[in-house]
C-alpha cells in the first residue's frame, strides 16, 4: 500500500472515529432520557451503544495498524532528507512550504524529493533489494 493511500485511510478512519464518538455521546444522553419511558426502547439503545463501542474499538485498532504501516513505509526510505520530508508531511501534517522553509530547501526541490520518496515507497520490496 502506498504512503498516500495509507494516509488517506488514516484520515478517513479518524473522521469515522470522531463521528462514532459523537454519536455514542448522543446515544448515551438519549438512553438516559428514554430508559424510564419504555424498556423496549432502552434495550434498543443499549444494543446501539454496544455496537458503537465495538465499532470504535475496531476502528481504533485499524487506525493503529495503519499508523504503524505509515511509519514503517517512511522509515524504509534510504535517503534521510526524504524521510524527514515524508515524516513532516504525513505524520506532522505540515504544508510543503513550511517543510521547505524548515529544511532550507527550495519548494520545488521538496516536491521532487517528495515524489522520489513516494515512488520509492511504491516499488515492491524485492525490487528495492536488488
Amino acid at each position: 500500500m502506498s504512503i498516500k493511500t495509507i494516509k488517506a485511510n488514516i484520515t478517513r478512519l479518524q473522521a469515522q472515529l470522531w463521528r462514532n464518538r459523537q454519536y455514542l455521546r448522543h446515544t448515551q444522553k438519549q438512553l438516559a432520557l428514554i430508559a424510564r419511558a419504555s424498556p423496549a426502547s432502552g434495550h434498543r439503545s443499549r444494543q446501539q451503544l454496544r455496537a458503537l463501542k465495538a465499532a470504535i474499538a475496531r476502528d481504533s485498532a485499524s487506525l493503529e495498524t495503519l499508523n504503524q504501516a505509515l511509519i514503517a513505509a517512511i522509515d524504509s526510505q534510504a535517503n534521510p532528507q526524504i524521510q524527514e520530508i515524508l515524516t513532516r508531511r504525513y505524520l506532522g501534517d505540515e504544508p510543503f512550504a513550511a517543510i521547505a522553509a524548515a529544511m532550507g530547501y527550495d519548494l520545488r526541490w521538496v516536491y521532487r524529493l517528495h515524489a522520489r520518496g513516494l515512488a520509492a515507497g511504491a516499488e515492491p520490496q524485492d525490487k528495492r533489494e536488488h
Side-chain angles (χ1 to χ4, degrees), residues 81-126:
Q81 289 86 10
I82 292 175
Q83 272 186 347
E84 184 175 353
I85 289 169
L86 295 176
T87 299
R88 287 174 176 266
R89 179 68 181 167
Y90 293 106
L91 297 177
D93 291 326
E94 291 183 35
F96 285 111
I99 295 170
M103 294 180 73
Y105 292 157
D106 183 64
L107 183 59
R108 291 174 297 179
W109 184 242
V110 171
Y111 284 140
R112 285 186 194 124
L113 289 175
H114 175 259
R116 287 180 192 170
L118 293 180
E123 291 177 7
Q125 278 297 111
D126 58 328

